[in-house]
Amino acid sequence: MRLRLLVLCAGIAAHSKMPDIPPATEFFHTAMLFLMVLVLAVALSASIRRTQLADAESDAGARRPLLLIKHSACLCLLLVSGFLWAMLLAQLQLAQRLPAQLEGVDFWLTGQIEGLVRRESGDAQSPASSRNPRSQQFDLRVDHSCLRLLPEQCQQSEQNKMLTGQLVVLNDYAHLPVQSGERWQLRVRVNRPHGFSNPGAYDFEAGQFQRGIMARGYIRETAFNTQLEPRSGVRARLDFRSITGRLRAALAVDIERLTVSGKGLTNSGLIKALTVGDREGISGKQWDLFTATGTNHLVVISGLHVGFVALCAWTLVNWLSRRVPCLLLRIPAQHLAAFAAIGAAAGYSLMAGFSLSTQRALIMISVLMISRLSGRPVAPADSLCLAALIVLVRDPMAVTQAGFWLSFAAVASLFFAFAGHGSFDSRSAAAKPEWSTLLPQKLLPQQLWRRWVQPQWAVSVGLLLPLLLWTGQMSLNAPLANIFAIPLVSLLVVPAALIGVLLLSVDWPLTQWLASCLLLAADFLLQGLQIFLIWLGAWTPGLWRPAVPSFWAMLLMALCSVLLLMPGGLVPRWLAVCMLLPLIWPSPAARPLPGRVWLQFLDVGQGLAVVVHTHKHNLLFDTGPALGPDFDAGRAVILPYLHQAHVSHLDSLVISHWHADHSGGLDTVVQQIPARQLLAGHTGRDTEPGFNSCEAGQQWAWDEVSFTVLFPPAGSLIGAGNINDSSCVLLIEAAGQRVLLTGDIEEAAERWLVREHRDNLAVNILQAPHHGSRSSSTSEFVQATGADWVIMSAGYRNRFGHPHADVVERYQYNGAQVLMTADSGAIWLELGGAEPQLLSRHRQQQRRFWFNL
């Protein structure tokens, strides 16, 4: 059974590698093929069962080859049926995608608000900002759409089925009085979800597709935006998403309004995350602290917390029911406790928004409790495989998210370490792990080792490979931090916070006072936890960011994890440690040959970031835009790319000018990647600390590749008052082939360059000035550069209209091939060979069926 479950999961997961899938018009054929394959698989499984029963009564020798063939055929059919099921769901979802011709068009949407309304401000931790947010964002589950001008023209017979049943993320800048669970008719302008596409970076579009989000946009300000009457009838009363959404929103508001001794809770954001699954109030500094110590899974509603709540419910109901003899005559206490555990786990999971980790925990708890009710025990590994299958059948795109792999890998490592052949039984000398003898038994008693330390060791070893693959880093002090943090949060903080929040919803003076005391206690414990983690981080190693492992290194890491989790005595531990050597001392990354240069124009949206690689040196030209108070292109794009490229330092970092779309990621980058040379275009004010001014005439050479600053000249007043015309312009030349990086220069700077460098301005590759704006790329400049390739870095359907159609046409008329990062993703080119080469366009090279192409 276990193997068949795993094969079904593998078939479902395989669909995530498809670059394209058949259109929705082929849905019927896919459905029929799926049913045929599934029926064949079920029939073959029944045949195998009959053969096995017959073998039990006779000589099985003659039938073994036939049985092996049947098993293989059955597994193949299950693999195909899993793949076809995932394809069916993907076809249905893609059929609801927003038509491309309606992007940027105003129309009406009617639907219900789901989840929490997120308040967005410049400082997420500022109380004033939470009271007066700049905007608010929410998810709308669409009932129907209408393309008419006025809402009264949207008659039921004319309403469009576009986006029906799908989620749309809307930003509201007019501060409508929206609440979770309400139904609204709104005038909106939306686009398809479109994220950055870069090597090593998070796939935003996969995350949106997995959540069922088919469009993103904003609400148009009009007096006709109207709140509608709620649904009526049985369906409305059984709408658990709406009910839990309203409850979560009400509890979140109660927590925000709670005052203790005249002051708000210090860690109200963490308490909301632990009780209602609202992570918006957790600051970037807090996330960094919890990530560095490997405790971030404790400050959200995770499978660990769901399991603890279920255990508490089971224990309480089991104890109470045994005190009622008349009840025991009708229903066994354990049966009542099992129902209570399932109900508590389901309720807490719904409060968390039903995330992947809580789904896994709820399914496994349900399987365990149902097995107790039926009297048929299920092996832990079988329950884990069944939970994975149920999650994937419901949501095949879960395999594209790190949470799925980390959650199941953590539980699998515990099962492997504590069950079956991986049992760590202290009563058996053969099963006693060798590494337990390395710790002082007087300071660490055996029971403490087995209950607290050993699970942390098992999870850390089991998550070594998944963490490095999905996050590129691992916390070295996570086992020590979790030994203290898990019991503190699970046994003290979560119960106090949950009971306090529930009491807070009862409007009695006594319950309000008790709620305040409990929440204040939880807040105090969370503050103490953060102080401890800060101290631990100061005295122990923190995050480990090794180079991205190769395939063979990943295989050795997987074997290492298995060997370390196996009982001692079977395999020498030193052999497992040796398997980590390729990770500790990785092979050198691919680099351009001497005399050649690689250019990586990263996709950072409305901004610019270019990474230049020579044989032994690295240069970063601009750092992209700031994307929020705690998020920028440096964190989202540049650092993941540099990590994947094995870049641990920058030989030069150039900021063309100090506009936020070119320098927004600077602080994040320099905090993690040291830079030896810092240059920036001057702006008529003092240069930023540590930076030297870019001035025409500066030159240097790396690995037979020359770098020359062409603009601005020293003491330049060109384009006075226009920061764009102070941009640093850098010319890179390799083997006679040239690239020009221009920042945001406009007409005045272009005229100066044409006048002063007319005979030296011809290039092979040009970064289009100012994202392709009409204020740049004059005809004289386009003709003087005569580029073969023009790269335009601009955001998808940005509000500035970059790049302008006239500018694109101007370059194309001059014989250039125009590439846009919004369409191509990261663009990788090489200079210095026989001729300039386009090595890859990331969005096309890594194409998946959910991409917005």
Side-chain angles (χ1 to χ4, degrees), residues 142-176:
V142 178
D143 294 334
H144 46 257
S145 55
C146 175
L147 302 179
R148 297 291 183 132
L149 178 62
L150 298 175
E152 57 265 23
Q153 297 173 331
C154 297
Q155 302 298 326
Q156 190 68 30
S157 59
E158 299 175 355
Q159 288 169 346
N160 199 305
K161 296 299 182 182
M162 177 187 64
L163 296 174
T164 298
Q166 304 302 312
L167 282 178
V168 175
V169 177
L170 295 173
N171 287 292
D172 170 30
Y173 300 97
H175 303 290
L176 295 173

Side-chain angles (χ1 to χ4, degrees), residues 250-264:
L251 292 177
V253 171
D254 288 339
I255 295 172
E256 288 179 357
R257 291 177 179 175
L258 176 66
T259 56
V260 180
S261 301
K263 297 181 180 179

Side-chain angles (χ1 to χ4, degrees), residues 195-204 602-605 623 625-628 630-642 664-665 668-669 672:
F196 306 146
S197 180
N198 297 281
Y202 173 67
D203 188 347
F204 173 79
L602 297 176
D603 179 12
V604 294
T623 58
L627 306 173
D630 296 309
F631 198 56
D632 52 59
R635 184 186 298 268
V637 176
I638 299 173
L639 288 178
Y641 168 75
L642 294 178
T668 303
V669 171
Q672 297 192 27

Side-chain angles (χ1 to χ4, degrees), residues 439-713:
L439 296 172
Q441 297 300 310
K442 292 184 179 180
L443 298 177
L444 188 64
Q446 188 70 12
Q447 290 300 316
L448 180 61
W449 163 258
R450 295 183 70 248
R451 292 185 179 181
W452 293 113
V453 181
Q454 193 173 339
Q456 300 310 316
W457 164 265
V459 170
S460 298
V461 171
L463 290 182
L464 177 61
L465 181 58
L467 277 173
L468 293 182
L469 287 180
W470 284 97
T471 68
Q473 61 190 19
M474 184 176 184
S475 174
L476 297 178
N477 56 22
L480 292 175
N482 280 285
I483 290 172
F484 174 79
I486 287 179
L488 177 70
V489 175
S490 298
L491 301 180
L492 298 176
V493 174
V494 170
L498 278 178
I499 297 173
V501 166
L502 293 177
L503 290 176
L504 199 62
S505 61
V506 181
D507 193 15
W508 293 348
L510 178 61
T511 58
Q512 293 288 307
W513 178 81
L514 288 173
S516 299
C517 293
L518 288 171
L519 291 176
L520 181 60
D523 185 76
F524 177 78
L525 292 172
L526 287 171
Q527 191 66 25
L529 173 63
Q530 293 174 77
I531 294 173
F532 167 75
L533 294 179
I534 293 172
W535 174 85
L536 183 67
W539 290 95
T540 58
L543 286 177
W544 178 40
R545 296 185 178 92
V548 177
S550 64
F551 171 78
W552 296 109
M554 289 189 289
L555 184 61
L556 290 174
M557 287 170 60
L559 290 174
C560 172
S561 298
V562 171
L563 293 178
L564 288 175
L565 293 175
M566 290 177 67
L570 296 179
V571 178
R573 299 297 177 194
W574 60 265
L575 180 60
V577 175
C578 290
M579 292 181 179
L580 289 178
L581 292 179
L583 186 65
I584 300 173
W585 289 287
S587 57
R591 303 287 301 187
L593 297 174
R596 297 193 182 189
V597 60
W598 287 349
L599 300 157
Q600 191 74 258
F601 289 84
L602 297 176
D603 179 12
V604 294
Q606 189 63 22
L608 180 65
V610 186
V611 182
V612 181
H613 302 285
T614 66
H615 183 58
K616 294 182 178 180
H617 296 80
N618 307 286
L619 178 145
L620 175 60
F621 189 90
D622 282 345
T623 58
L627 306 173
D630 296 309
F631 198 56
D632 52 59
R635 184 186 298 268
V637 176
I638 299 173
L639 288 178
Y641 168 75
L642 294 178
H643 175 71
Q644 187 186 62
H646 297 200
V647 174
S648 58
H649 73 278
L650 294 170
D651 297 280
S652 183
L653 194 160
V654 181
I655 300 297
S656 63
H657 63 297
W658 294 104
H659 272 165
D661 57 336
H662 292 254
S663 61
L666 174 63
D667 291 340
T668 303
V669 171
V670 297
Q671 285 173 6
Q672 297 192 27
I673 305 291
R676 296 174 180 171
Q677 175 185 340
L678 300 174
L679 292 175
H682 55 75
T683 61
R685 60 181 175 86
D686 292 338
T687 304
E688 295 291 315
F691 277 84
N692 295 316
S693 293
C694 252
E695 292 184 357
Q698 292 172 329
Q699 295 184 12
W700 67 92
W702 293 334
D703 309 314
E704 303 175 32
V705 178
S706 66
F707 296 78
T708 306
V709 176
L710 298 185
F711 188 87

Side-chain angles (χ1 to χ4, degrees), residues 200-358:
Y202 173 67
D203 188 347
F204 173 79
E205 292 175 42
Q208 298 291 286
F209 196 81
Q210 184 264 330
R211 290 182 55 198
I213 295 173
M214 293 287 99
R216 299 179 65 92
Y218 64 96
I219 299 172
R220 303 287 285 168
E221 294 189 30
T222 171
F224 295 107
N225 291 327
T226 309
Q227 181 181 354
L228 304 177
E229 292 294 327
R231 293 192 185 97
S232 59
V234 177
R235 180 183 174 186
R237 289 193 290 270
L238 296 179
D239 188 354
F240 292 107
R241 287 186 301 195
S242 175
I243 295 171
T244 56
R246 288 195 295 268
L247 177 61
R248 292 173 67 200
L251 292 177
V253 171
D254 288 339
I255 295 172
E256 288 179 357
R257 291 177 179 175
L258 176 66
T259 56
V260 180
S261 301
K263 297 181 180 179
L265 295 172
T266 307
N267 298 287
S268 60
L270 294 176
I271 292 176
K272 285 194 292 183
L274 288 169
T275 53
V276 298
D278 181 9
R279 308 182 189 182
E280 298 298 318
I282 303 178
S283 69
K285 291 182 178 179
Q286 288 176 319
W287 269 121
D288 290 341
L289 174 63
F290 294 127
T291 300
T293 54
T295 54
N296 46 3
H297 65 100
L298 294 176
V299 295
V300 295
I301 301 180
S302 64
L304 175 66
H305 300 329
V306 173
F308 176 75
V309 169
L311 177 62
C312 290
W314 191 92
T315 304
L316 179 62
V317 172
N318 185 50
W319 182 84
L320 289 175
S321 59
R322 292 179 186 275
R323 269 59 186 173
V324 186
C326 60
L327 183 62
L328 290 177
L329 296 175
R330 299 175 178 271
I331 305 176
Q334 290 192 349
H335 287 193
L336 286 173
F339 286 119
I342 295 174
Y348 196 33
S349 298
L350 286 172
M351 292 293 289
F354 218 52
S355 61
L356 290 175
S357 60
T358 59

Side-chain angles (χ1 to χ4, degrees), residues 15-16 93 206 209-210 392 395-401 849-850:
H15 94 291
S16 65
Q93 190 168 341
F209 196 81
Q210 184 264 330
L392 291 181
D395 181 13
M397 284 293 292
V399 296
T400 64
Q401 303 303 301
F849 65 85
W850 59 81

